[in-house]
């Protein structure tokens, strides 16, 4: 019997926090399984594990409950991490972003008082709301700073001059370069997809001109453009990097890693302002093109924007350090932050749920995912495992179908597994070195 199974979706968004929670539960003596929602790890987890408490990244309704509660023995205790808790004002008017149907019977993690209030108004019982703070933001605490590469190692790794000022831009231009067909698909979920794509293209053209002018007139600085994981490096960006030697486009490493090492942080539309705040850095929000409030990040609607190049230059030349009082005030509305880390509070809550809660009956949930017989699930798990981990079979499938799909899946499986192991090892070393609080059953 496994006490906890924890699912995560995006490794760049969730892996660090999931590993941190898992290591804390393991230190307390529990058996914990971590699995990605994709590939054979999900299939094998459903097939071979019988958790007492199931922890999931999102839970909107019956469909998601039916998908995650697909074990041989149904789980009666489900905890929703709610990995998305910052929305646009337009999204806040849509009831579909809040748990519906059987999902209301699960427990839901709240990063701050605002989210707890929203969920309570959506009909979630008070005893199902866990106000713990964000485990992801725990990685910004001083106790975990050794998790990041130090500046001199990052400089050596990417050929940067350590002694120069590093100015960072956190890009969110994932809509630039998308086809009309793809935007039409996104429009089904976000009706303003085409409008935001137009704003993105216009904004990026202006900002690239700002970055070039600043980098050329300030050769003593290193200007780092960190693209969004979904952004494509097109000709304009590549040409600018070739023309200006101190302008660099670097997609590797987490955005939190770059915030940790850079001196000035420039933002446009990213929720990474929260990491900026908790890491004690100075940031700006660049808005040369107006974004209507209803489609903006709800945190950023309260920010003071930089709208001209002169303001942008003054900010990046200033000696100010640390987040502004205005930013701190905004972030604290959405994130609970005190002396006790969120991962400790969440682990405490999971223990209480494990030992003290009788759970709920999710068996009547009717979702779109039907429960396959055991033999079918075993066949699927074996098939996916074979083509993901056996090179010969991978080659045979690829050559017959003439598609790189199988090789891409295999590469991503290995990448997820290795990154998970390395992240867990680093967190274990920090916990052991710091002699962090330990609690056993």
């Amino acid at each position: 019997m496994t006490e906890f199974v924890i699912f995560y979706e995006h490794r760049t968004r969730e892996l660090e926090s999931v590993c941190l929670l898992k290591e804390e539960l393991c230190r307390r003596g529990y058996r914990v399984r971590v699995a990605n929602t994709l590939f054979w790890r999900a299939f094998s987890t459903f097939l071979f594990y019988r958790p007492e408490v199931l922890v999931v990244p999102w839970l909107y309704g019956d469909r998601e409950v039916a998908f995650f509660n697909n074990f041989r023995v149904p789980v009666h205790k489900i905890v929703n991490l709610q990995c998305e808790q910052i929305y646009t004002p337009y999204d806040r008017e849509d009831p579909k972003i809040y748990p519906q149907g059987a999902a209301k019977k699960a427990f839901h993690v709240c990063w701050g008082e605002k989210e707890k209030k929203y969920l309570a108004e959506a009909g979630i019982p008070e005893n199902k709301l866990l106000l713990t703070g964000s485990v992801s933001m725990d990685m910004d605490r001083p106790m975990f700073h050794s998790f990041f590469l130090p500046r001199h190692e990052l400089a050596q790794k990417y050929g940067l001059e350590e002694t120069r000022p590093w100015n960072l831009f956190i890009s969110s231009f994932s809509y630039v370069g998308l086809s009309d067909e793809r935007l039409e698909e996104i429009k089904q979920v976000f009706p303003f997809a085409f409008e935001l794509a137009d704003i993105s293209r216009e904004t990026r053209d202006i900002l690239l001109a700002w970055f070039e002018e600043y980098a050329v007139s300030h050769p003593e600085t290193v200007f780092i453009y960190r693209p969004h994981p979904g952004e494509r490096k097109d000709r304009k960006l590549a040409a600018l990097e070739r023309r200006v030697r101190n302008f660099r486009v670097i997609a590797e490493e987490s955005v939190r890693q770059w915030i940790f090492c850079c001196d000035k942080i420039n933002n446009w539309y990213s929720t990474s302002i929260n990491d900026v705040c908790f890491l004690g850095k100075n940031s700006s929000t660049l808005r040369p093109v107006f974004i209507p409030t209803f489609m903006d990040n709800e945190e950023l609607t309260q920010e003071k924007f930089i709208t001209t190049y002169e303001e942008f230059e003054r900010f990046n030349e200033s000696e100010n350090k640390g987040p502004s009082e205005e930013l701190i005030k905004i972030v604290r509305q959405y994130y609970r932050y005190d002396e006790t880390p969120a991962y400790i509070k969440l682990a405490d809550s999971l223990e209480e749920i494990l030992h003290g809660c009788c759970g709920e009956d999710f068996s009547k949930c009717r979702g779109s995912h039907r429960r396959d017989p055991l033999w079918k699930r075993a066949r699927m798990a074996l098939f996916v495992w074979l083509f993901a981990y056996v090179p010969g079979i991978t080659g045979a499938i690829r050559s017959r179908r003439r598609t790189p799909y199988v090789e891409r899946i295999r590469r991503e499986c290995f990448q997820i597994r290795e990154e998970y192991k390395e992240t867990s090892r680093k967190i274990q070393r920090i916990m052991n070195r710091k002699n962090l609080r330990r609690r056993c059953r």
Side-chain angles (χ1 to χ4, degrees):
M1 179 68 74
T2 302
E3 283 87 4
F4 300 97
V5 165
I6 305 174
F7 276 103
Y8 70 97
E9 183 181 14
H10 299 295
R11 66 178 185 272
T12 54
R13 180 182 69 180
E14 302 155 46
L15 187 58
E16 292 172 0
S17 55
V18 163
C19 288
L20 180 54
L21 179 60
K22 170 242 180 185
E23 291 303 326
E24 175 61 23
L25 290 170
C26 289
R27 285 162 64 85
R28 300 183 185 199
Y30 298 111
R31 290 166 294 237
V32 184
R33 166 76 172 181
V34 171
N36 191 265
T37 56
L38 302 175
F39 310 129
W40 79 273
R41 289 183 70 84
F43 290 109
S44 62
T45 299
F46 289 137
L47 184 64
F48 297 115
Y49 289 83
R50 296 174 56 187
E52 295 182 55
V53 179
L54 177 61
V55 184
V56 300
W58 27 256
L59 203 68
Y60 296 106
D62 289 2
R63 176 189 176 97
E64 290 76 26
V65 173
F67 171 75
F68 284 115
N69 201 5
N70 200 20
F71 296 87
R72 291 177 294 163
V73 177
V75 180
H76 297 288
K77 301 172 183 180
I78 303 178
V79 179
N80 174 21
L81 291 176
Q82 276 206 114
C83 291
E84 291 284 355
Q85 295 191 26
I86 307 297
Y87 295 96
T88 68
Y90 173 82
D91 290 330
R92 285 293 180 193
E93 300 298 321
D94 186 354
K96 288 186 292 187
I97 69 170
Y98 303 111
Q100 307 288 324
K104 287 187 175 182
K105 299 191 291 185
F107 294 89
H108 304 275
V109 172
C110 303
W111 295 343
E113 294 287 352
K114 274 219 167 190
E115 186 63 22
K116 184 177 180 180
K117 176 176 174 289
Y118 284 131
L119 291 182
E121 292 174 349
I124 310 298
E126 178 78 18
N127 66 337
K128 298 293 187 181
L129 301 177
L130 310 177
L131 182 58
T132 63
S134 170
V135 177
S136 178
M137 293 300 110
D138 283 338
M139 298 303 297
D140 296 332
R141 291 175 180 266
M143 66 177 73
F144 290 109
H145 282 184
S146 60
F147 181 86
F148 304 113
L149 289 174
R151 182 170 166 128
H152 69 273
E153 288 189 20
L154 201 63
Q156 186 177 24
K157 185 174 181 179
Y158 294 101
L160 307 174
E161 293 192 39
E162 181 188 353
T163 56
R164 290 188 178 191
W166 290 6
N167 294 25
L168 175 69
F169 175 68
I170 303 169
S171 174
S172 301
F173 295 124
S174 54
Y175 280 33
V176 174
L178 293 183
S179 65
D180 287 348
E181 290 78 10
R182 177 61 183 140
L183 288 172
E184 196 64 50
E185 292 175 7
I186 297 173
K187 188 178 178 181
Q188 307 307 312
V189 180
F190 185 63
F192 311 104
F194 282 93
E195 290 87 339
L196 188 57
D198 290 340
I199 291 171
S200 299
R201 284 190 285 267
E202 185 180 356
T203 300
R204 198 187 72 146
D205 287 346
I206 294 171
L207 291 186
L208 290 183
W210 287 10
F211 301 158
E212 180 170 11
E213 184 175 349
Y214 185 85
V216 169
S217 59
H218 297 79
E220 74 284 358
T221 66
V222 177
F223 201 98
I224 300 165
Y225 182 107
R226 202 276 183 179
H228 186 278
E231 183 177 350
R232 301 175 181 178
K233 185 177 179 180
D234 61 9
R235 293 179 180 178
K236 288 184 180 179
L237 202 55
L240 177 55
E241 189 176 23
R242 287 194 299 270
R243 283 198 309 271
V244 184
R245 294 186 60 184
N246 57 324
F247 177 84
R248 297 289 305 278
V249 180
I250 307 177
E252 292 76 19
E253 311 298 339
S254 69
V255 67
R256 187 181 281 125
Q257 170 70 73
W258 288 108
I259 292 170
F260 179 74
C261 288
C262 288
D263 301 295
K264 289 288 182 179
I265 317 297
N266 298 273
N267 186 41
W268 174 60
Y269 194 73
S270 174
T271 57
S272 297
I273 60 165
N274 302 300
D275 292 296
V276 172
C277 181
F278 290 126
L279 284 169
K281 295 301 180 87
N282 198 219
S283 71
S284 70
T285 300
L286 311 179
R287 287 294 174 83
V289 179
F290 174 73
I291 298 178
T293 301
F294 62 85
M295 70 169 68
D296 203 352
N297 176 316
E298 62 184 319
E299 284 183 293
L300 293 177
T301 57
Q302 307 171 60
E303 266 272 66
K304 291 182 179 179
F305 300 140
I306 286 178
T307 59
T308 66
Y309 175 78
E310 290 72 27
E311 293 174 315
F312 166 73
E313 186 176 37
R314 279 198 300 271
F315 168 78
N316 284 275
E317 288 180 332
S318 72
E319 297 297 324
N320 294 338
K321 295 183 179 180
S324 66
E325 291 297 324
E326 292 83 1
L327 180 59
I328 293 173
K329 186 177 179 181
I330 293 168
V331 170
R332 292 297 173 88
Q333 296 177 48
Y334 295 89
Y335 291 86
R336 182 174 182 174
Y337 193 87
D338 51 37
E339 290 184 3
T340 305
Y343 78 93
I344 295 289
K345 293 178 184 176
L346 182 53
D348 289 344
S349 296
L350 291 175
E351 274 193 310
E352 291 176 11
I353 292 169
L354 175 67
H355 297 301
C357 174
C358 61
E360 299 280 356
D361 180 12
F362 295 97
S363 62
K364 296 181 181 179
C365 173
R366 293 292 178 265
S368 62
H369 298 273
R370 62 183 176 84
R371 189 181 300 276
D372 289 327
L374 183 63
W375 69 270
K376 281 192 175 181
R377 287 192 279 164
R379 184 183 65 181
M380 177 61 74
L382 177 62
F383 171 74
V384 178
W385 184 87
L386 284 173
F387 85 63
Y389 287 94
V390 180
I393 292 180
T394 299
I397 295 176
R398 189 180 64 226
S399 61
R400 186 175 71 248
R401 296 186 177 181
R402 297 186 179 183
T403 172
Y405 175 74
V406 174
E407 180 61 28
R408 180 175 65 82
I409 295 298
R410 179 173 180 268
R411 189 165 56 246
E412 289 187 17
C413 282
F414 273 112
Q415 187 175 358
I416 288 173
R417 185 176 67 171
E418 292 307 312
E419 190 171 348
Y420 166 72
K421 288 181 178 180
E422 178 60 24
T423 301
S424 291
R425 280 195 294 266
K426 290 169 73 174
I427 290 174
Q428 285 174 8
R429 286 197 296 267
I430 293 171
M431 285 183 160
N432 293 335
R433 186 167 62 249
K434 297 291 185 181
N435 194 24
L436 297 179
R437 173 180 167 189
R438 180 174 183 175
R439 192 186 283 178
C440 297
R441 282 186 294 175

